[in-house]
Amino acid sequence: MSLLSLLKIKHPILLAPMAGVSTPELAAEVSNAGGLGALGLGASTLNDAKKQIEHTQTLTDQPFQLNFFCHTPEALNAEHARAWIDFLSPEFSRFNTTPPSTLNRIYPSFLENDDFLELVLATAPKAVSFHFGLPHAYQIQALKAAGIVTLVSATNLAEAKAIEAAGIDIIIAQGIEAGGHRGIFNPTIDAAINTADLVQLIHQHCQCPVIAAGGIMTGQQAKHMMRLGAAAVQLGTAFVQCKTSNANAAYRQALRQQPLTQITASISGRPARGIINRWHTECDHPQRPNVPAYPYTYDLAKQLHQLAATHGHHEYGAFWAGSHVAQIRELEATDLINQILLEMCS
């Protein structure tokens, strides 16, 4: 069965499920235009996730995907936490504030309990995708038994083979160019393969359909990935500028005026690509201590960003973006999809 038939979509274009940026309105616009819309729910509470899903279902009767994080839950290393808090203390001092004394695990993992699994089964989306690893085997079985298509991000061939062996339906080949968090299973191991090479590698060694993700902004780039073996493409950065995304004004301004990106783990505790700002230029130096585990580090970053923003400073924002952000176009979702389709045919 082809990927389009499996997902019940018209066009081989997927919206990346960007936690904090995706909205029901944006997801619905992409789905209504023939692509696969998405909700990034990895940072959502159970109640908020339910509201987003139900709202999306009122805006479209077309397929869309949900996305969750499958990071292995870790206990807070008190020594790492103290060192990191002390390290960032001067940044808080810029705004005459002291940092918090401890860090919180602000985001749950899909692996921790079955609350999100039960929500997915109850709301029955067409597809559900996972980042940072694989769900438990019984969770995968429950999703497949319900007829829900499963997708998991891979950043290297070993991860792709594990995804296929687990019975997942589709592999998302996330290249190093991708904005936002790297989908690496082990945060200490990143092969850093570019999207084109990763697509070819996975296509050659795996039987599952492959979706290319990372650095894709135009139809020409999408067509190139499909020639290399991708069955579809997934775009995130290209859609951030849409009016229906949840990106704030500072984020949108950075996309237009500072289109240079870099990967850092200093913001969240896991490597992620975003617009270069103070995290990259001031915090990521050789003497930086080890960051606490994800998402404890993210707790401190969010507090610092919120503090700075109240003083009119946005240089601590997590403005996730891919390496080709300079190619961003100010088009709404439907127009962007149509433009990409025209370019793919040229």
Side-chain angles (χ1 to χ4, degrees), residues 37 51 60 62 82 90 93 98 100 139 147 194-195 207 244 251 260 303 321 325:
K51 288 180 178 178
T60 184
Q62 299 302 305
R82 186 69 262 162
S93 295
T98 57
Q139 293 176 323
N194 68 49
T195 307
Q207 300 302 310
T244 48
Y251 195 165
L260 297 176
Q303 292 188 54
V325 63

Side-chain angles (χ1 to χ4, degrees), residues 43 69 71 74 76 84 88 103-107 131-132 180-184 187 262-274 277 279-280 283-284 288 290-303 316-320:
F69 300 154
H71 54 285
E74 295 186 47
L76 179 64
W84 190 242
L88 287 183
L103 305 179
N104 299 305
R105 187 157 58 91
I106 56 176
Y107 297 149
H131 215 55
F132 300 150
H181 282 91
R182 305 284 294 137
I184 48 179
Q262 184 175 316
I263 293 174
T264 180
S266 292
I267 298 176
S268 74
R270 271 182 167 265
R273 182 182 292 279
N277 58 20
W279 289 109
H280 310 84
C283 299
D284 279 350
R288 188 202 75 176
N290 291 325
V291 296
Y294 176 91
Y296 298 101
T297 301
Y298 218 171
D299 179 33
L300 192 62
K302 285 180 176 293
Q303 292 188 54
Y316 300 98
F319 298 152
W320 306 130

Side-chain angles (χ1 to χ4, degrees), residues 276-343:
I276 294 176
N277 58 20
R278 194 171 176 88
W279 289 109
H280 310 84
T281 61
E282 303 300 323
C283 299
D284 279 350
H285 57 70
Q287 289 74 42
R288 188 202 75 176
N290 291 325
V291 296
Y294 176 91
Y296 298 101
T297 301
Y298 218 171
D299 179 33
L300 192 62
K302 285 180 176 293
Q303 292 188 54
L304 179 55
H305 170 55
Q306 184 177 17
L307 171 65
T310 62
H311 289 79
H313 295 269
H314 300 281
E315 65 265 53
Y316 300 98
F319 298 152
W320 306 130
S323 61
H324 293 163
V325 63
Q327 299 174 14
I328 202 164
R329 296 175 283 191
E330 293 193 21
L331 295 170
E332 296 313 309
T334 300
D335 294 332
L336 179 57
I337 289 174
N338 289 336
Q339 182 63 35
I340 290 170
L341 291 171
L342 284 173
E343 293 166 349

Side-chain angles (χ1 to χ4, degrees), residues 7 17 21 25 28 43 85 133 168 171 202 215 220 229 237 257 263 266 270 282 292 321:
L7 292 172
V21 174
E25 290 79 9
I85 291 170
I168 296 297
I171 300 169
I202 297 176
Q220 290 88 350
T237 304
Q257 298 183 358
I263 293 174
S266 292
R270 271 182 167 265
E282 303 300 323

Side-chain angles (χ1 to χ4, degrees), residues 21-346:
V21 174
S22 61
T23 64
E25 290 79 9
L26 180 57
E29 286 180 4
V30 172
S31 291
N32 288 334
L36 187 73
L39 294 176
L41 302 176
S44 300
T45 64
L46 186 67
N47 186 55
D48 182 53
K50 183 175 185 291
K51 288 180 178 178
Q52 289 190 57
I53 297 167
E54 291 176 344
H55 188 189
T56 306
Q57 290 172 331
T58 68
L59 299 174
T60 184
D61 58 1
Q62 299 302 305
F64 61 91
Q65 65 158 312
L66 311 179
N67 176 265
F68 297 95
F69 300 154
C70 277
H71 54 285
T72 301
E74 295 186 47
L76 179 64
N77 182 308
E79 182 179 347
H80 286 175
R82 186 69 262 162
W84 190 242
I85 291 170
D86 290 344
F87 176 69
L88 287 183
S89 181
E91 304 300 317
F92 281 84
S93 295
R94 293 182 65 207
F95 308 103
N96 300 314
T97 303
T98 57
S101 59
T102 188
L103 305 179
N104 299 305
R105 187 157 58 91
I106 56 176
Y107 297 149
S109 171
F110 196 84
L111 302 174
E112 291 184 72
N113 59 63
D114 291 335
D115 289 347
F116 285 104
L117 173 64
E118 295 302 327
L119 175 63
V120 173
L121 296 175
T123 53
K126 183 60 186 177
V128 59
S129 62
F130 299 97
H131 215 55
F132 300 150
L134 287 159
H136 296 300
Y138 76 88
Q139 293 176 323
I140 297 173
Q141 292 168 4
L143 293 169
K144 294 177 74 67
I148 297 172
V149 179
T150 53
L151 309 85
V152 176
S153 295
T155 64
N156 59 45
L157 182 58
E159 291 173 351
K161 287 184 174 180
I163 291 167
E164 186 165 69
I168 296 297
D169 298 304
I170 300 170
I171 300 169
I172 302 170
Q174 190 201 32
I176 194 67
E177 302 96 327
H181 282 91
R182 305 284 294 137
I184 48 179
F185 288 20
N186 184 332
T188 66
I189 302 174
D190 191 349
I193 306 172
N194 68 49
T195 307
D197 290 350
L198 185 60
V199 166
Q200 294 179 80
L201 193 61
I202 297 176
H203 179 64
Q204 291 169 5
H205 293 276
C206 297
Q207 300 302 310
C208 289
V210 180
I211 295 172
I216 303 166
M217 302 290 286
T218 69
Q220 290 88 350
Q221 292 161 348
K223 182 166 62 175
H224 177 61
M225 292 300 168
M226 295 182 74
R227 284 175 176 167
L228 296 177
V233 294
Q234 180 170 278
L235 294 78
T237 304
F239 287 98
V240 174
Q241 52 73 40
C242 293
K243 291 178 182 176
T244 48
S245 92
N246 200 39
N248 60 29
Y251 195 165
R252 295 172 188 273
Q253 183 177 17
L255 292 172
R256 295 190 302 270
Q257 298 183 358
Q258 302 164 251
L260 297 176
T261 66
Q262 184 175 316
I263 293 174
T264 180
S266 292
I267 298 176
S268 74
R270 271 182 167 265
R273 182 182 292 279
I275 299 291
I276 294 176
N277 58 20
R278 194 171 176 88
W279 289 109
H280 310 84
T281 61
E282 303 300 323
C283 299
D284 279 350
H285 57 70
Q287 289 74 42
R288 188 202 75 176
N290 291 325
V291 296
Y294 176 91
Y296 298 101
T297 301
Y298 218 171
D299 179 33
L300 192 62
K302 285 180 176 293
Q303 292 188 54
L304 179 55
H305 170 55
Q306 184 177 17
L307 171 65
T310 62
H311 289 79
H313 295 269
H314 300 281
E315 65 265 53
Y316 300 98
F319 298 152
W320 306 130
S323 61
H324 293 163
V325 63
Q327 299 174 14
I328 202 164
R329 296 175 283 191
E330 293 193 21
L331 295 170
E332 296 313 309
T334 300
D335 294 332
L336 179 57
I337 289 174
N338 289 336
Q339 182 63 35
I340 290 170
L341 291 171
L342 284 173
E343 293 166 349
M344 290 176 71
C345 295
S346 63

